[in-house]
Amino acid sequence: MIEINGYSRTCGLIGNPVEHTMSPVIHNNLAVATNENLVYVPFHVETGRLEDAVKGAFGLNLLGVNVTVPYKSDVIPFLTDIDPLAKRIGAVNTLVRMENGFKGYNTDMPGLLRAMKKDGVEVKDEHIILLGAGGVARAVAMLLADNGASKIYILNRTTDKAQAIADEINSYKCSDIVEVKKLSDYSLLPQDRKYLAIQATSVGMYPKVDEAVIEDVAFYNMLHTGYDLIFNPLETKFMKLAKQSGAKGFHGYRMLLYQGVIAYELWTGKDVTDELAEQVYEKMLAAMNA
Ligand code: ATR
């Protein structure tokens, strides 16, 4: 921890709940390592208090704020500006102090991209299976389309939701890059290649750790990599099944690290090296196991 004095700057997290957050581990360690007089604290914001919280944060001269569930979309009306990516995704997880208020960014998706790079997982020219069609999956589909994926197959229990995402991205890209299938129809995908699959449903998350959105070994045999966005547990059933079929398996904990790293870079104007980020990651792992 840094020594707090009259010059200390404050950043924090607003959400509900915030009690299990790892973000203080990320930012307080980064502050020490980069010699910033900065502290990061969680702020539990009750329902109906979001506008007060954002105004209060500005009034109290906070340097930056992270926003988590359930406020990532609700916070948008209270911003003075919004980054184009966050606007398109419709979700803001980072507020950066400007002269007259906060500007909203989304660092979750750039964080996923940076985590995937670090994990050695390519998006460019890949044929990718995306499992899920909720808010997170929609943002991931945009990220993949923007970063050179050749093809994105969205598989979801409710195909209407997947189709809405496909229509949105295909019209934005003026292409047919996204195709939709029912969750159970993976055997209809071209079988002449192996796929990167990104798991963006909530299935398998603690405490239901014995569940995977698809259980059939035949599906996992189609993969070279299974990337789960869930990080609790650190080894999901989806990852286990992918690995049992000879594919690589990754979880979403590095995405959590890098969304924080990118937010920290926006707040402080400093670049965080991958080496430093990985040192912080070790502390996050230790904190999770504590
Ligand atoms: P988020 O904002 O985190 O993406 P969400 O919008 O609730 O959360 O989306 C959850 C995703 O998990 C959806 O794709 C959902 O499938 P449906 O669109 O069919 O609801 C998927 N999901 C949740 N529980 C599931 C289950 N038991 N089987 C299959 N998919 C499931």
Side-chain angles (χ1 to χ4, degrees):
M1 236 356 165
I2 59 146
E3 190 189 325
I4 298 170
N5 58 29
Y7 295 94
S8 299
R9 298 302 305 268
T10 306
C11 291
L13 170 69
I14 59 181
N16 184 357
V18 293
E19 285 71 18
H20 299 290
T21 178
M22 284 292 163
S23 291
V25 176
I26 301 174
H27 295 287
N28 290 319
N29 278 297
L30 285 174
V32 171
T34 59
N35 210 16
E36 282 282 331
N37 187 351
L38 183 157
V39 285
Y40 184 99
V41 284
F43 298 108
H44 183 117
V45 174
E46 290 296 349
T47 308
R49 291 274 182 222
L50 180 60
E51 184 173 10
D52 287 352
V54 175
K55 282 187 178 157
F58 191 74
L60 289 170
N61 199 29
L62 265 65
L63 178 65
V65 184
N66 281 139
V67 182
T68 189
V69 178
Y71 300 131
K72 288 187 181 187
S73 301
D74 294 352
V75 76
I76 292 173
F78 309 125
L79 306 175
T80 53
D81 195 6
I82 183 163
D83 178 70
L85 176 71
K87 186 171 184 183
R88 192 150 71 89
I89 294 171
V92 161
N93 77 315
T94 300
L95 311 188
V96 177
R97 185 180 192 83
M98 301 283 152
E99 206 178 330
N100 297 314
F102 288 112
K103 179 171 178 179
Y105 289 83
N106 184 300
T107 71
D108 288 326
M109 288 306 116
L112 172 59
L113 199 65
R114 203 151 145 189
M116 288 171 83
K117 273 209 180 93
K118 186 70 198 164
D119 286 326
V121 177
E122 286 289 335
V123 169
K124 194 166 173 359
D125 300 329
E126 278 291 322
H127 291 234
I128 301 170
I129 299 172
L130 177 59
L131 300 172
V136 173
R138 176 174 164 273
V140 172
M142 288 176 175
L143 180 84
L144 299 175
D146 285 354
N147 284 278
S150 285
K151 195 85 199 169
I152 303 160
Y153 298 98
I154 304 182
L155 275 55
N156 198 45
R157 182 177 59 179
T158 316
T159 44
D160 287 2
K161 280 162 75 181
Q163 193 58 54
I165 298 172
D167 291 347
E168 186 184 357
I169 293 177
N170 288 340
S171 77
Y172 183 81
K173 289 275 160 195
C174 300
S175 77
D176 55 1
I177 184 173
V178 185
E179 271 183 45
V180 168
K181 294 261 180 294
K182 264 188 359 208
L183 200 52
S184 48
D185 277 350
Y186 45 84
S187 61
L188 302 180
L189 297 179
Q191 298 291 322
D192 57 343
R193 64 175 70 246
K194 294 248 180 182
Y195 295 88
L196 160 63
I198 299 180
Q199 201 302 105
T201 79
S202 46
V203 182
M205 199 180 283
Y206 179 85
K208 295 187 172 174
V209 300
D210 293 328
E211 295 180 3
V213 68
I214 297 174
E215 304 263 356
D216 186 2
V217 173
F219 170 73
Y220 294 92
N221 286 338
M222 292 165 53
L223 311 185
H224 64 73
T225 304
Y227 209 104
D228 203 329
L229 301 189
I230 291 172
F231 60 82
N232 187 9
L234 282 179
E235 181 154 272
T236 62
K237 175 94 178 279
F238 172 83
M239 283 169 64
K240 280 187 198 151
L241 289 167
K243 287 185 190 170
Q244 279 165 15
S245 285
K248 290 181 184 156
F250 298 96
H251 51 68
Y253 210 38
R254 264 213 175 77
M255 172 184 176
L256 186 72
L257 164 72
Y258 280 104
Q259 63 73 32
V261 164
I262 296 168
Y264 186 83
E265 290 176 335
L266 286 169
W267 294 332
T268 61
K270 286 186 172 164
D271 287 335
V272 175
T273 62
D274 278 6
E275 193 189 358
L276 172 55
E278 292 302 310
Q279 286 169 17
V280 171
Y281 188 60
E282 292 298 319
K283 307 229 176 188
M284 288 170 68
L285 289 170
M288 187 178 236
N289 292 325

